[in-house]
Amino acid sequence: MALKLYLTPMSPVCRSVMLLLEKNAIPYQEVQLNLLKGERGDLLKVNPSNKVPAIDDNGFYLFESAAILRYIAAKYDLPDHWYPKELKSRARVDEALAWFPGNLRCKGFFYKVIFPKKVGHPASEETIAECATTLKNSLAVIENYFLKDRKFVAGDEISIADLQFLGEVTQYWAMGQDLCKGKPNMERWVSACREFLGPHFDKVTATVLKIQEEGTMAAPHYEV
């Protein structure tokens, strides 16, 4: 039985897992949930936090995107660049994965776009300002540290850390903002990721690209 992935296409961390599976031609079954409409199915059985992504691998349940990415890389013995075995190379990937949740993934898109739809009024100015500061600082770290002397965020080859970062950066396309604008290292990196991932990027990111084209989630941009 194929691995079962609980997801919503608008979740950047779900898309990071999908990219790894698609690029490496790993069969999986999608369980798509519309979380805005309260759809959860049997997700709670797989993840007690009731969030996506989560996987059911023939009765083995796992949640948290970074854990899932590591698991897939190991289980399917993927090419070493995804999650290197060499100590220092792996440490660089782990560094990026550990940094990601409290920095780049600051819920900036959520508070600008999703929050008003869910609760019927905008997030507070204080919340938006806090997100803006965290986002701006995070992009500076990516531009001036992670990508300063590297082609990808953890080295010269793409890794699972790039998929995490890429999912979050492209999320803002849906609200009409390019976080990489004016940041040459990030612009180069996104191009390198897209080139490596090929048609799998367009397939996995299709929902975001469609919303970007239609402008249905357009929102005021962050100053970054």
Side-chain angles (χ1 to χ4, degrees):
M1 184 183 298
L3 179 148
K4 187 184 293 186
L5 173 62
Y6 293 77
L7 64 96
T8 175
M10 273 306 293
S11 163
V13 286
C14 287
R15 293 198 303 275
S16 69
V17 177
M18 294 169 71
L19 282 170
L20 187 64
L21 293 167
E22 292 283 347
K23 177 62 180 177
N24 291 281
I26 299 170
Y28 69 102
Q29 175 188 346
E30 290 188 13
V31 181
Q32 288 204 22
L33 303 169
N34 188 328
L35 303 185
L36 283 177
K37 292 183 178 180
E39 293 179 5
R40 290 294 191 278
D42 61 346
L43 176 61
L44 190 60
K45 178 183 72 174
V46 180
N47 181 359
S49 298
N50 219 15
K51 296 179 180 179
V52 291
I55 61 170
D56 175 356
D57 189 11
N58 293 303
F60 175 73
Y61 304 149
L62 189 65
F63 55 93
E64 293 297 333
S65 56
I68 294 170
L69 291 167
R70 291 183 178 107
Y71 174 77
I72 292 169
K75 174 175 178 176
Y76 295 96
D77 194 23
L78 298 187
D80 192 67
H81 64 84
W82 287 115
Y83 192 49
K85 296 181 178 62
E86 193 275 323
L87 179 63
K88 291 181 180 179
S89 298
R90 176 171 288 202
R92 285 291 175 222
V93 176
D94 285 334
E95 175 184 55
L97 291 173
W99 176 86
F100 171 78
N103 294 281
L104 181 59
R105 188 158 169 74
C106 62
K107 293 189 175 182
F109 179 84
F110 174 84
Y111 284 116
K112 281 272 191 174
V113 180
I114 306 300
F115 183 89
K117 292 179 181 294
K118 288 186 71 173
V119 303
H121 62 79
S124 69
E125 291 184 8
E126 182 181 2
T127 297
I128 294 295
E130 185 178 340
C131 279
T133 298
T134 302
L135 185 59
K136 185 175 183 177
N137 291 341
S138 297
L139 295 176
V141 171
I142 296 172
E143 178 73 7
N144 300 316
Y145 172 69
F146 285 110
L147 296 174
K148 181 182 179 181
D149 300 309
R150 306 172 193 161
K151 184 176 181 180
F152 296 99
V153 298
D156 292 328
E157 294 185 280
I158 197 168
S159 72
I160 57 176
D162 291 283
L163 303 184
Q164 289 277 58
F165 283 40
L166 186 66
E168 195 69 27
V169 167
T170 56
Q171 184 79 350
Y172 289 79
W173 292 0
M175 59 180 269
Q177 181 164 14
D178 179 5
L179 297 181
C180 301
K181 187 176 181 180
K183 302 174 183 64
N185 290 337
M186 290 190 66
E187 289 177 333
R188 169 189 53 75
W189 163 73
V190 168
S191 294
C193 289
R194 293 190 71 168
E195 181 179 0
F196 182 88
L197 294 167
H200 307 292
F201 174 85
D202 290 335
K203 177 181 178 181
V204 171
T205 317
T207 300
V208 171
L209 295 172
K210 184 171 186 275
I211 291 171
Q212 179 188 30
E213 182 180 351
E214 295 173 347
T216 54
M217 287 189 174
H221 293 182
Y222 286 99
E223 293 184 12
V224 294

